[in-house]
Amino acid sequence: MSDPALLPCPFCGGEAEFENVQRGFGPGDHAWSVGCTTEECHGYQATRTYARKSEAATAWNQRSKPTRAGKCLRCGAGSEWLE
């Protein structure tokens, strides 16, 4: 079974990836989050966690449609992929 598809980062257009987050010490005490792989990007550190990868992917992929392309205020990367 393959991972759910992830949209590019909404801040810089970089690639997104899943992170398995340990929430405790038991066998089922883990969760999933999604974040940007570009360290300088605002979306690099994901903080919200979900029980399933599909839930994390749905949350990451849900976003409002941008009205214009621009640059990330934090890292300065362009988001030409929006055009």
Side-chain angles (χ1 to χ4, degrees):
M1 182 179 203
S2 63
D3 288 340
L6 297 172
L7 292 176
C9 175
F11 299 102
C12 73
E15 185 179 342
E17 68 179 5
F18 289 100
E19 181 179 354
N20 190 342
V21 180
Q22 190 72 27
R23 295 193 297 188
F25 298 103
D29 291 339
H30 70 274
W32 295 98
S33 66
V34 177
C36 181
T37 58
T38 305
E39 289 188 33
E40 299 82 23
C41 181
H42 181 69
Y44 176 68
Q45 186 172 0
T47 56
R48 189 97 193 242
T49 60
Y50 300 88
R52 293 187 294 276
K53 276 187 173 181
S54 60
E55 293 172 333
T58 298
W60 175 264
N61 291 337
Q62 257 182 349
R63 53 189 76 166
S64 60
K65 184 166 178 59
T67 56
R68 62 183 174 82
K71 293 193 179 284
C72 175
L73 295 176
R74 183 168 180 206
C75 70
S79 55
E80 292 81 15
W81 58 275
L82 296 174
E83 295 176 352

